[in-house]
Amino acid sequence: QIDGGTAVNILSERCSFTWDTRAIDLDHPAIALEALKSLAEEMKADNRHIKSIETEIIADAPGLAPQQDNAAETLVRRLTGANATSVVAFATEAGHFQSAGFDTIVFGPGDIAQAHQPNEFIAISQLQACDAFLAKLIRHLS
């Protein structure tokens, strides 16, 4: 997302560029940030009108890595009867929990196709399935 300037024929006093990376390779975000910093230094050296380029990390959500012998996955599979897992490219706090040493998965109601857009929603059937899962979890833990 780029924001800056007041007109096409006036040199902008400031311009901001907001970007996002969601990497499956856990080292990629650092590599991308270093590449951006290097490019910024080149741009400053090549253009006397650029006074400064600053980078601010607004959020950092580490990726969730596949995990062997994951007790959370085993429990959810047992309670749901699921036989497969999948990988998605969206950010959650799950990587922070995994980094702290917790067995971690992302699981819950909704469909990413309806999320993060105008009029986003979770279908009632998804909420009902979540309620049923939570009831099974409570019975299992009791």
Side-chain angles (χ1 to χ4, degrees), residues 67 69-78 102-105:
Q67 186 178 2
D69 301 318
N70 184 335
E73 179 184 338
T74 301
L75 175 60
V76 170
R77 282 177 179 249
R78 184 179 321 132
F102 293 98
D103 286 355
T104 308
I105 63 168

Side-chain angles (χ1 to χ4, degrees), residues 92-132:
T92 73
E93 295 83 7
H96 291 292
F97 291 109
Q98 189 178 57
S99 296
F102 293 98
D103 286 355
T104 308
I105 63 168
V106 176
F107 174 80
D111 185 327
I112 196 64
Q114 285 98 35
H116 306 299
Q117 58 183 320
N119 301 317
E120 66 182 326
F121 67 92
I122 297 176
I124 297 294
S125 62
Q126 288 283 314
L127 294 174
Q128 291 167 334
C130 180
D131 283 345

